[in-house]
Amino acid sequence: MPRLVLASQSPARLATLKSAGLNPHVVVSGVDEDKVLADAADRFGELDPADAVLVLAQAKAEEVASRLEEIRDDDEAGGRDTATATDVIVIGCDSMLEIDGTIVGKPADPETARECWRSMRGGKGVLHTGHWVVDLRDDADGGTGGTIGSTSSTTVWFADIDDDEIDAYVATGEPLQVAGAFTIDGLGGPYVERVEGDHHGVVGISLPLLRELLAELNVPWRTLRTP
């Protein structure tokens, strides 16, 4: 059974994978997101949100994969039993909410979160989540050496809540911790009226899309479920 490494500190992503029967190890990436996006803009021009999240997901997955490979190489060079398994799959993700062509990231402070919700309420946005998978498995473990990714985009309709409701939600602190200043699987769930697309993508990791990416690397989903 391949071992999954999730290159994300998101509790929601980890919980989603665990609820689907997977038990990934978490290794948080150390990438500078602003620099990654600036470098990509210099190379490719201005990125749309769907491309931006994919670039960030790739950077996170490949940075963690590189670190794991270095550890394994150092252990092998020193004649030690490798601390990093040879059957590892690394998954990186990143999410952004787009409203009328504008990106809504993590609010910097409560007032910014309140402004976000005043602009969002009664309307809709598109939650883009980029996914990137890196196959670090050895040939003997069926490794392909592949690196592949794609973006899940889900339209979200928000309830038309009043200022008091916004203030109470922002006071919980949750909107300051997540892209778009809301969750669908937490305290923000009552304020999401409906979605069009994969709701897992709104949580931060699309299980159907991830299954398809893993299949491209010859990793059937069933082989990842823990007994």
Side-chain angles (χ1 to χ4, degrees), residues 97 99-100 104 107 109-125 158-171 175 180-182 191:
L97 178 67
I99 296 181
D100 296 330
V104 180
D109 50 60
E111 182 53 38
T112 302
R114 284 190 284 269
E115 291 175 0
C116 287
W117 265 98
R118 291 180 192 125
S119 66
M120 288 158 45
R121 61 183 172 190
K124 65 180 180 179
F158 299 101
D160 189 7
I161 57 179
D162 61 26
D163 288 347
D164 289 341
E165 195 73 29
I166 290 174
D167 290 344
Y169 180 42
V170 172
F182 82 101
Y191 311 128

Side-chain angles (χ1 to χ4, degrees), residues 3 12 31-32 57 102 105 121 156 158 177 188 192-193 226:
R3 306 187 191 193
V31 301
D32 183 331
T102 299
R121 61 183 172 190
V156 182
F158 299 101
Q177 304 169 20
V192 176
E193 293 195 331
T226 54

Side-chain angles (χ1 to χ4, degrees), residues 14-59:
L14 179 60
T16 299
L17 290 172
K18 285 188 172 183
S19 69
L22 280 56
N23 189 30
H25 180 63
V26 174
V27 179
V28 180
S29 74
V31 301
D32 183 331
E33 296 187 14
D34 291 338
K35 184 178 186 304
V36 168
L37 290 178
D39 290 346
D42 287 342
R43 293 173 58 194
F44 307 115
E46 185 176 356
L47 301 177
D48 64 31
D51 290 332
V53 292
L54 189 59
V55 166
L56 289 172
Q58 179 180 9

Side-chain angles (χ1 to χ4, degrees), residues 65-166:
S66 178
R67 275 196 280 148
L68 295 178
E69 284 185 307
E70 288 178 7
I71 294 172
R72 186 166 66 190
D73 291 345
D74 288 346
D75 284 349
E76 291 175 349
R80 298 181 294 273
D81 289 337
T82 181
T84 305
T86 60
D87 56 354
V88 169
I89 303 284
V90 180
I91 302 168
C93 297
D94 191 82
S95 298
M96 293 180 181
L97 178 67
E98 178 187 7
I99 296 181
D100 296 330
T102 299
I103 294 299
V104 180
K106 290 183 182 179
D109 50 60
E111 182 53 38
T112 302
R114 284 190 284 269
E115 291 175 0
C116 287
W117 265 98
R118 291 180 192 125
S119 66
M120 288 158 45
R121 61 183 172 190
K124 65 180 180 179
V126 180
L127 200 293
H128 302 283
T129 296
H131 303 64
W132 202 271
V133 182
V134 180
D135 185 356
L136 291 184
R137 295 173 300 162
D138 282 352
D139 292 344
D141 293 309
T144 65
T147 175
I148 186 173
S150 188
T151 296
S152 164
S153 297
T154 302
T155 302
V156 182
W157 278 263
F158 299 101
D160 189 7
I161 57 179
D162 61 26
D163 288 347
D164 289 341
E165 195 73 29
I166 290 174

